Coordinates of all heavy atoms in Angstrom, one line a residue:
M1308 N 9.1 -10.9 26.8 CA 7.7 -11.4 27.0 C 7.1 -11.6 25.6 O 7.2 -10.7 24.7 CB 6.9 -10.3 27.7 CG 5.4 -10.6 27.8 SD 4.4 -9.4 28.6 CE 4.7 -9.8 30.2
K1309 N 6.5 -12.7 25.4 CA 5.9 -13.1 24.1 C 4.5 -12.4 23.9 O 3.7 -12.4 24.9 CB 5.8 -14.6 24.0 CG 5.5 -15.0 22.6 CD 5.6 -16.6 22.5 CE 5.4 -17.0 21.1 NZ 5.5 -18.4 20.9
K1310 N 4.3 -11.8 22.8 CA 3.1 -11.1 22.5 C 1.9 -12.2 22.3 O 2.1 -13.2 21.6 CB 3.2 -10.3 21.2 CG 2.0 -9.4 20.9 CD 2.3 -8.6 19.7 CE 1.1 -7.8 19.3 NZ 1.2 -7.0 18.1
A1311 N 0.8 -11.9 22.9 CA -0.3 -12.8 22.7 C -0.9 -12.7 21.3 O -0.9 -11.6 20.7 CB -1.4 -12.5 23.7
I1312 N -1.2 -13.8 20.7 CA -1.7 -13.9 19.4 C -3.2 -14.0 19.4 O -3.8 -14.9 20.0 CB -1.1 -15.0 18.6 CG1 0.4 -14.9 18.5 CG2 -1.7 -15.1 17.2 CD1 1.1 -16.1 18.0
V1313 N -3.9 -13.0 18.8 CA -5.4 -13.0 18.7 C -5.7 -13.7 17.4 O -5.3 -13.2 16.4 CB -6.0 -11.6 18.9 CG1 -7.5 -11.7 18.8 CG2 -5.5 -11.0 20.2
Q1314 N -6.5 -14.7 17.5 CA -6.8 -15.4 16.2 C -8.3 -15.3 15.9 O -9.1 -15.5 16.8 CB -6.5 -16.9 16.5 CG -6.7 -17.8 15.3 CD -6.2 -19.2 15.6 OE1 -5.0 -19.4 15.9 NE2 -7.1 -20.2 15.6
P1315 N -8.6 -14.8 14.7 CA -10.0 -14.7 14.4 C -10.7 -16.0 14.5 O -10.1 -17.1 14.2 CB -10.0 -14.2 12.9 CG -8.6 -13.8 12.6 CD -7.7 -14.5 13.6
S1316 N -12.0 -16.0 14.9 CA -12.7 -17.2 15.0 C -12.8 -18.1 13.8 O -12.9 -19.3 13.8 CB -14.1 -17.0 15.6 OG -14.8 -16.1 14.7
C1317 N -12.8 -17.4 12.6 CA -12.9 -18.1 11.3 C -11.6 -18.9 11.0 O -11.6 -19.7 10.2 CB -13.3 -17.2 10.2 SG -12.0 -15.9 9.9
L1318 N -10.5 -18.5 11.7 CA -9.2 -19.1 11.5 C -8.9 -20.1 12.7 O -8.1 -19.8 13.5 CB -8.1 -18.1 11.3 CG -6.8 -18.5 10.7 CD1 -7.0 -19.2 9.4 CD2 -5.9 -17.4 10.6
S1319 N -9.7 -21.1 12.7 CA -9.6 -22.1 13.9 C -8.3 -22.8 13.9 O -7.6 -22.9 12.9 CB -10.8 -23.1 13.8 OG -10.5 -24.0 12.8
S1320 N -8.0 -23.3 15.1 CA -6.7 -24.1 15.2 C -6.8 -25.3 14.3 O -5.8 -25.8 13.7 CB -6.4 -24.5 16.6 OG -7.5 -25.3 17.1
T1321 N -8.0 -25.9 14.1 CA -8.1 -27.0 13.1 C -7.8 -26.6 11.7 O -7.1 -27.4 11.0 CB -9.6 -27.6 13.2 OG1 -9.9 -27.9 14.5 CG2 -9.7 -28.8 12.3
T1322 N -8.2 -25.5 11.3 CA -7.9 -25.0 10.0 C -6.4 -24.8 9.8 O -5.8 -25.2 8.8 CB -8.6 -23.6 9.7 OG1 -10.0 -23.8 9.9 CG2 -8.3 -23.1 8.3
I1323 N -5.7 -24.2 10.8 CA -4.3 -24.1 10.7 C -3.6 -25.4 10.7 O -2.6 -25.6 10.0 CB -3.8 -23.2 11.9 CG1 -4.3 -21.7 11.7 CG2 -2.3 -23.2 12.0 CD1 -4.1 -20.8 12.9
E1324 N -4.0 -26.3 11.6 CA -3.4 -27.7 11.6 C -3.6 -28.4 10.3 O -2.6 -29.0 9.8 CB -4.1 -28.5 12.7 CG -3.7 -28.0 14.1 CD -4.5 -28.8 15.2 OE1 -5.1 -29.8 14.9 OE2 -4.5 -28.2 16.3
N1325 N -4.7 -28.2 9.7 CA -5.0 -28.9 8.4 C -4.0 -28.3 7.3 O -3.5 -29.0 6.5 CB -6.4 -28.7 7.9 CG -7.4 -29.6 8.7 OD1 -7.0 -30.6 9.3 ND2 -8.6 -29.2 8.7
L1326 N -3.9 -27.0 7.3 CA -3.0 -26.3 6.4 C -1.5 -26.8 6.6 O -0.9 -27.2 5.6 CB -3.0 -24.8 6.6 CG -2.1 -24.0 5.7 CD1 -2.5 -24.0 4.2 CD2 -2.0 -22.5 6.2
K1327 N -1.1 -26.8 7.8 CA 0.3 -27.3 8.1 C 0.5 -28.8 7.9 O 1.6 -29.2 7.5 CB 0.7 -26.9 9.5 CG 0.9 -25.4 9.7 CD 1.3 -25.1 11.1 CE 1.8 -23.7 11.2 NZ 2.4 -23.4 12.5
D1328 N -0.6 -29.6 8.1 CA -0.4 -31.0 7.8 C -0.3 -31.2 6.3 O 0.4 -32.1 5.8 CB -1.6 -31.8 8.3 CG -1.6 -32.0 9.8 OD1 -0.6 -31.7 10.4 OD2 -2.7 -32.3 10.4
T1329 N -1.1 -30.4 5.5 CA -1.1 -30.6 4.0 C 0.2 -30.0 3.4 O 0.8 -30.5 2.5 CB -2.3 -29.9 3.5 OG1 -3.5 -30.5 4.1 CG2 -2.4 -30.1 1.9
Y1330 N 0.6 -28.8 4.0 CA 1.8 -28.1 3.5 C 2.7 -27.9 4.7 O 2.5 -26.9 5.4 CB 1.4 -26.8 2.8 CG 0.4 -27.0 1.7 CD1 -0.9 -26.7 1.9 CD2 0.8 -27.4 0.4 CE1 -1.8 -26.9 0.8 CE2 -0.1 -27.6 -0.6 CZ -1.4 -27.3 -0.4 OH -2.3 -27.5 -1.4
P1331 N 3.7 -28.8 5.0 CA 4.5 -28.7 6.2 C 5.3 -27.4 6.3 O 5.7 -27.1 7.4 CB 5.4 -29.9 6.1 CG 4.6 -30.9 5.2 CD 3.9 -30.0 4.2
S1332 N 5.6 -26.8 5.2 CA 6.5 -25.6 5.3 C 5.8 -24.4 4.6 O 4.9 -24.6 3.7 CB 7.8 -25.8 4.6 OG 7.7 -25.8 3.2
V1333 N 6.2 -23.2 5.0 CA 5.6 -22.0 4.4 C 5.8 -22.0 2.9 O 4.9 -21.6 2.1 CB 6.1 -20.7 5.0 CG1 7.5 -20.5 4.8 CG2 5.3 -19.5 4.6
E1334 N 7.0 -22.5 2.4 CA 7.3 -22.5 1.0 C 6.4 -23.4 0.2 O 5.9 -23.1 -0.9 CB 8.8 -22.9 0.8 CG 9.8 -21.9 1.3 CD 10.0 -22.0 2.8 OE1 9.6 -23.0 3.4 OE2 10.7 -21.1 3.3
E1335 N 6.1 -24.6 0.9 CA 5.1 -25.5 0.2 C 3.7 -25.0 0.2 O 3.0 -25.3 -0.8 CB 5.1 -26.9 1.0 CG 6.4 -27.6 0.8 CD 6.4 -28.9 1.7 OE1 6.7 -28.8 2.9 OE2 6.2 -30.0 1.1
A1336 N 3.3 -24.2 1.1 CA 2.0 -23.6 1.2 C 1.9 -22.4 0.2 O 0.8 -22.2 -0.4 CB 1.7 -23.1 2.6
Q1337 N 3.0 -21.7 -0.1 CA 2.9 -20.6 -1.0 C 3.1 -21.0 -2.5 O 2.6 -20.3 -3.4 CB 4.0 -19.6 -0.6 CG 3.6 -18.8 0.6 CD 4.7 -17.8 1.1 OE1 5.9 -18.1 0.8 NE2 4.3 -16.8 1.7
K1338 N 3.7 -22.2 -2.7 CA 3.9 -22.6 -4.1 C 2.7 -22.7 -4.9 O 2.6 -22.2 -6.0 CB 4.7 -23.9 -4.1 CG 5.1 -24.3 -5.5 CD 5.9 -25.6 -5.5 CE 6.2 -26.0 -7.0 NZ 6.7 -27.3 -7.1
P1339 N 1.6 -23.4 -4.4 CA 0.4 -23.4 -5.2 C -0.3 -22.1 -5.5 O -0.9 -21.8 -6.5 CB -0.6 -24.3 -4.4 CG 0.3 -25.0 -3.4 CD 1.5 -24.2 -3.2
L1340 N -0.1 -21.2 -4.5 CA -0.7 -19.8 -4.7 C 0.1 -19.1 -5.8 O -0.6 -18.5 -6.7 CB -0.5 -19.0 -3.4 CG -1.1 -17.6 -3.3 CD1 -2.6 -17.6 -3.6 CD2 -0.7 -17.0 -2.0
W1341 N 1.4 -19.3 -5.9 CA 2.2 -18.7 -6.9 C 1.8 -19.3 -8.3 O 1.6 -18.6 -9.3 CB 3.7 -18.9 -6.7 CG 4.5 -18.4 -7.8 CD1 5.2 -19.2 -8.7 CD2 4.7 -17.1 -8.3 NE1 5.8 -18.5 -9.6 CE2 5.6 -17.2 -9.4 CE3 4.3 -15.8 -7.8 CZ2 6.0 -16.0 -10.1 CZ3 4.7 -14.7 -8.5 CH2 5.6 -14.8 -9.6
E1342 N 1.6 -20.6 -8.3 CA 1.3 -21.3 -9.5 C -0.1 -20.9 -10.0 O -0.3 -20.8 -11.3 CB 1.3 -22.8 -9.3 CG 2.8 -23.3 -9.1 CD 2.9 -24.8 -8.7 OE1 1.9 -25.4 -8.4 OE2 4.0 -25.3 -8.8
L1343 N -1.0 -20.6 -9.1 CA -2.3 -20.1 -9.5 C -2.2 -18.7 -10.2 O -2.9 -18.4 -11.2 CB -3.3 -20.1 -8.3 CG -3.9 -21.4 -7.9 CD1 -4.6 -21.2 -6.5 CD2 -4.8 -21.9 -8.9
L1344 N -1.4 -17.9 -9.6 CA -1.2 -16.6 -10.1 C -0.6 -16.6 -11.5 O -1.0 -16.0 -12.5 CB -0.3 -15.7 -9.2 CG 0.0 -14.3 -9.7 CD1 -1.2 -13.5 -9.8 CD2 1.1 -13.7 -8.9
V1345 N 0.5 -17.4 -11.7 CA 1.1 -17.6 -13.0 C 0.1 -18.1 -14.0 O 0.1 -17.6 -15.2 CB 2.4 -18.5 -12.9 CG1 2.9 -18.9 -14.2 CG2 3.4 -17.8 -12.0
A1346 N -0.7 -19.1 -13.6 CA -1.7 -19.7 -14.6 C -2.7 -18.7 -14.9 O -3.1 -18.5 -16.1 CB -2.3 -20.9 -13.9
A1347 N -3.2 -17.9 -14.0 CA -4.2 -16.8 -14.2 C -3.6 -15.8 -15.2 O -4.3 -15.4 -16.1 CB -4.7 -16.2 -12.9
M1348 N -2.4 -15.3 -14.9 CA -1.8 -14.2 -15.7 C -1.5 -14.7 -17.1 O -1.5 -14.0 -18.1 CB -0.6 -13.7 -15.0 CG -0.9 -12.9 -13.8 SD -1.9 -11.4 -14.2 CE -1.5 -10.4 -12.8
G1349 N -1.2 -16.0 -17.3 CA -0.9 -16.6 -18.6 C -2.0 -17.1 -19.4 O -1.9 -17.5 -20.5
S1350 N -3.2 -17.1 -18.8 CA -4.4 -17.6 -19.5 C -5.0 -16.6 -20.5 O -4.7 -15.4 -20.4 CB -5.5 -18.0 -18.5 OG -6.1 -16.8 -17.9
Q1351 N -5.8 -17.0 -21.3 CA -6.5 -16.1 -22.3 C -7.4 -15.2 -21.6 O -7.6 -14.1 -22.0 CB -7.3 -17.0 -23.3 CG -6.4 -17.7 -24.2 CD -7.2 -18.6 -25.2 OE1 -8.4 -18.7 -25.1 NE2 -6.5 -19.1 -26.2
H1352 N -7.9 -15.5 -20.4 CA -8.8 -14.6 -19.6 C -8.0 -13.4 -19.2 O -8.6 -12.3 -19.1 CB -9.3 -15.3 -18.4 CG -10.2 -16.5 -18.7 ND1 -11.5 -16.3 -19.2 CD2 -10.0 -17.8 -18.6 CE1 -12.0 -17.5 -19.4 NE2 -11.2 -18.4 -19.0
A1353 N -6.7 -13.5 -19.0 CA -5.9 -12.3 -18.6 C -5.9 -11.3 -19.6 O -5.7 -10.1 -19.3 CB -4.5 -12.8 -18.2
D1354 N -6.1 -11.7 -20.9 CA -6.1 -10.7 -22.0 C -7.2 -9.8 -21.9 O -7.2 -8.7 -22.4 CB -6.1 -11.4 -23.3 CG -4.9 -12.3 -23.6 OD1 -3.8 -12.0 -23.0 OD2 -4.9 -13.2 -24.4
M1355 N -8.3 -10.2 -21.2 CA -9.5 -9.3 -21.0 C -9.4 -8.4 -19.9 O -10.2 -7.5 -19.7 CB -10.7 -10.2 -20.8 CG -11.0 -11.1 -22.0 SD -12.5 -12.1 -21.8 CE -11.8 -13.5 -21.0
W1356 N -8.4 -8.6 -19.0 CA -8.2 -7.7 -17.8 C -7.5 -6.4 -18.2 O -6.5 -6.4 -18.9 CB -7.4 -8.4 -16.7 CG -8.1 -9.7 -16.2 CD1 -9.4 -10.0 -16.3 CD2 -7.4 -10.8 -15.6 NE1 -9.6 -11.2 -15.7 CE2 -8.4 -11.8 -15.3 CE3 -6.1 -11.1 -15.3 CZ2 -8.2 -13.0 -14.7 CZ3 -5.9 -12.3 -14.6 CH2 -6.9 -13.2 -14.3
N1357 N -7.9 -5.4 -17.5 CA -7.2 -4.1 -17.7 C -6.1 -4.0 -16.6 O -6.0 -5.0 -15.8 CB -8.2 -2.9 -17.6 CG -8.9 -2.8 -16.2 OD1 -8.4 -3.2 -15.2 ND2 -10.1 -2.3 -16.3
G1358 N -5.4 -2.9 -16.6 CA -4.3 -2.8 -15.6 C -4.7 -2.9 -14.2 O -4.1 -3.4 -13.3
M1359 N -5.9 -2.3 -13.9 CA -6.4 -2.3 -12.5 C -6.8 -3.7 -12.1 O -6.5 -4.1 -10.9 CB -7.6 -1.4 -12.4 CG -8.2 -1.3 -11.0 SD -7.0 -0.7 -9.7 CE -7.1 1.0 -10.2
D1360 N -7.4 -4.5 -13.0 CA -7.7 -5.9 -12.6 C -6.4 -6.7 -12.3 O -6.4 -7.5 -11.4 CB -8.5 -6.6 -13.8 CG -9.8 -6.0 -14.0 OD1 -10.4 -5.5 -13.1 OD2 -10.3 -6.1 -15.2
R1361 N -5.4 -6.5 -13.1 CA -4.1 -7.2 -12.9 C -3.5 -6.8 -11.6 O -3.0 -7.6 -10.8 CB -3.2 -7.0 -14.1 CG -3.6 -7.6 -15.3 CD -2.7 -7.2 -16.5 NE -3.4 -7.4 -17.8 CZ -3.0 -8.3 -18.7 NH1 -1.9 -9.0 -18.5 NH2 -3.7 -8.5 -19.8
A1362 N -3.5 -5.5 -11.3 CA -3.0 -5.0 -10.1 C -3.7 -5.5 -8.9 O -3.1 -5.9 -7.9 CB -3.0 -3.4 -10.1
N1363 N -5.0 -5.6 -9.0 CA -5.8 -6.2 -7.9 C -5.5 -7.7 -7.7 O -5.4 -8.1 -6.5 CB -7.3 -6.0 -8.2 CG -7.8 -4.6 -8.0 OD1 -7.2 -3.8 -7.2 ND2 -8.9 -4.2 -8.6
L1364 N -5.3 -8.4 -8.7 CA -4.9 -9.8 -8.6 C -3.5 -9.9 -7.9 O -3.4 -10.8 -7.0 CB -4.9 -10.5 -10.0 CG -4.6 -12.0 -9.9 CD1 -5.6 -12.8 -9.1 CD2 -4.6 -12.5 -11.4
L1365 N -2.6 -9.1 -8.3 CA -1.3 -9.1 -7.7 C -1.4 -8.7 -6.2 O -0.7 -9.3 -5.3 CB -0.3 -8.2 -8.4 CG 0.1 -8.7 -9.8 CD1 0.9 -7.6 -10.5 CD2 1.0 -9.9 -9.7
L1366 N -2.2 -7.8 -5.9 CA -2.4 -7.4 -4.5 C -3.0 -8.5 -3.7 O -2.6 -8.8 -2.6 CB -3.3 -6.1 -4.3 CG -3.6 -5.7 -2.9 CD1 -2.4 -5.4 -2.1 CD2 -4.6 -4.5 -2.9
Y1367 N -4.0 -9.2 -4.3 CA -4.6 -10.3 -3.6 C -3.6 -11.4 -3.3 O -3.5 -12.0 -2.2 CB -5.7 -10.8 -4.5 CG -6.6 -11.9 -3.9 CD1 -7.5 -11.6 -2.9 CD2 -6.5 -13.2 -4.4 CE1 -8.3 -12.6 -2.4 CE2 -7.3 -14.2 -3.8 CZ -8.2 -13.9 -2.8 OH -9.0 -14.9 -2.3
Y1368 N -2.7 -11.7 -4.3 CA -1.7 -12.7 -4.1 C -0.8 -12.3 -3.0 O -0.4 -13.1 -2.1 CB -0.9 -12.8 -5.4 CG 0.5 -13.5 -5.2 CD1 0.5 -14.9 -5.1 CD2 1.6 -12.8 -5.0 CE1 1.7 -15.6 -4.8 CE2 2.8 -13.5 -4.7 CZ 2.8 -14.8 -4.6 OH 4.0 -15.5 -4.3
E1369 N -0.3 -11.0 -3.0 CA 0.6 -10.5 -1.9 C -0.1 -10.7 -0.5 O 0.6 -11.1 0.4 CB 1.0 -9.1 -2.2 CG 1.9 -8.9 -3.3 CD 2.2 -7.5 -3.6 OE1 1.8 -6.6 -2.9 OE2 2.9 -7.2 -4.7
L1370 N -1.4 -10.3 -0.4 CA -2.0 -10.4 0.9 C -2.2 -11.8 1.4 O -1.9 -12.1 2.5 CB -3.4 -9.7 0.8 CG -3.4 -8.2 0.6 CD1 -4.8 -7.7 0.3 CD2 -2.7 -7.5 1.7
L1371 N -2.6 -12.7 0.5 CA -2.7 -14.1 0.9 C -1.3 -14.7 1.2 O -1.2 -15.5 2.1 CB -3.3 -14.9 -0.3 CG -4.9 -14.7 -0.4 CD1 -5.4 -15.6 -1.6 CD2 -5.6 -15.1 0.9
S1372 N -0.3 -14.3 0.5 CA 1.0 -14.8 0.7 C 1.5 -14.4 2.1 O 2.1 -15.1 2.9 CB 2.0 -14.4 -0.4 OG 3.3 -14.8 -0.1
D1373 N 1.2 -13.1 2.4 CA 1.6 -12.6 3.7 C 0.8 -13.3 4.8 O 1.3 -13.6 5.9 CB 1.3 -11.1 3.8 CG 2.3 -10.2 3.1 OD1 3.4 -10.8 2.6 OD2 2.1 -9.0 2.9
L1374 N -0.5 -13.6 4.6 CA -1.3 -14.3 5.6 C -0.7 -15.7 5.8 O -0.6 -16.1 7.0 CB -2.7 -14.4 5.1 CG -3.7 -15.2 5.9 CD1 -3.9 -14.5 7.3 CD2 -5.1 -15.3 5.3
I1375 N -0.3 -16.4 4.8 CA 0.3 -17.7 4.9 C 1.6 -17.6 5.7 O 1.8 -18.4 6.7 CB 0.5 -18.3 3.6 CG1 -0.8 -18.7 2.9 CG2 1.4 -19.6 3.7 CD1 -0.7 -19.1 1.5
S1376 N 2.4 -16.6 5.4 CA 3.6 -16.4 6.2 C 3.4 -16.2 7.6 O 4.0 -16.8 8.5 CB 4.4 -15.3 5.6 OG 4.9 -15.6 4.3
N1377 N 2.4 -15.3 7.9 CA 2.1 -15.0 9.3 C 1.5 -16.2 10.0 O 1.9 -16.4 11.2 CB 1.1 -13.8 9.4 CG 1.8 -12.5 9.1 OD1 2.9 -12.3 9.4 ND2 1.0 -11.6 8.4
I1378 N 0.8 -17.0 9.4 CA 0.3 -18.2 10.0 C 1.4 -19.2 10.4 O 1.5 -19.7 11.5 CB -0.7 -19.0 9.1 CG1 -2.0 -18.2 9.0 CG2 -1.0 -20.4 9.6 CD1 -3.0 -18.7 7.9
Y1379 N 2.4 -19.4 9.5 CA 3.5 -20.3 9.8 C 4.4 -19.7 10.8 O 5.0 -20.4 11.6 CB 4.2 -20.6 8.5 CG 3.5 -21.7 7.8 CD1 2.4 -21.5 7.0 CD2 4.0 -23.1 7.9 CE1 1.8 -22.5 6.3 CE2 3.3 -24.1 7.2 CZ 2.2 -23.8 6.4 OH 1.6 -24.8 5.7
N1380 N 4.6 -18.4 10.8 CA 5.6 -17.7 11.7 C 5.0 -17.5 13.1 O 5.7 -17.4 14.1 CB 6.1 -16.4 11.1 CG 6.9 -16.7 9.9 OD1 7.6 -17.7 9.8 ND2 6.9 -15.8 8.9
S1381 N 3.7 -17.3 13.2 CA 3.0 -17.0 14.4 C 2.5 -18.2 15.2 O 2.3 -18.1 16.4 CB 1.8 -16.1 14.2 OG 2.2 -14.9 13.6
N1382 N 2.3 -19.3 14.5 CA 1.7 -20.5 15.2 C 2.6 -21.7 15.0 O 2.2 -22.6 14.4 CB 0.3 -20.7 14.6 CG -0.7 -19.7 14.8 OD1 -1.0 -19.4 16.0 ND2 -1.2 -19.0 13.8
S1383 N 3.7 -21.6 15.6 CA 4.7 -22.7 15.5 C 4.3 -23.9 16.3 O 3.7 -23.9 17.2 CB 6.0 -22.3 15.9 OG 6.5 -21.2 15.1

């Protein structure tokens, strides 16, 4: 039996369709996210961040990456 997927109202099917139309695979959707992280960590602004700020940015990346994976794996 397949588990029912409860989708938050803010994550409409149109939003998911737009994401998948723009980025047909999970890898394509995650690549810009990774590039943003690399750019942020390599920028001069990163020099002003303390260890906690950097850890929070990495956590944010991991959570968004997991969300993207779940969208692609749950809504085929």
Side-chain angles (χ1 to χ4, degrees):
M1308 176 184 277
K1309 194 171 184 178
K1310 185 178 177 183
I1312 299 169
V1313 178
Q1314 183 172 298
S1316 59
C1317 64
L1318 195 57
S1319 71
S1320 60
T1321 303
T1322 303
I1323 292 171
E1324 288 172 18
N1325 287 340
L1326 178 68
K1327 288 184 170 185
D1328 286 345
T1329 305
Y1330 303 101
S1332 71
V1333 66
E1334 294 81 13
E1335 289 175 280
Q1337 288 177 330
K1338 184 179 179 190
L1340 183 61
W1341 173 253
E1342 290 172 351
L1343 284 170
L1344 176 65
V1345 169
M1348 289 297 202
S1350 74
Q1351 291 178 351
H1352 295 289
D1354 295 339
M1355 296 180 273
W1356 298 337
N1357 62 31
M1359 183 60 74
D1360 292 334
R1361 291 171 199 246
N1363 285 337
L1364 183 59
L1365 290 170
L1366 176 61
Y1367 187 72
Y1368 164 81
E1369 289 176 7
L1370 293 172
L1371 285 177
S1372 182
D1373 287 348
L1374 177 62
I1375 290 169
S1376 292
N1377 285 326
I1378 287 169
Y1379 278 81
N1380 294 328
S1381 298
N1382 295 299
S1383 298

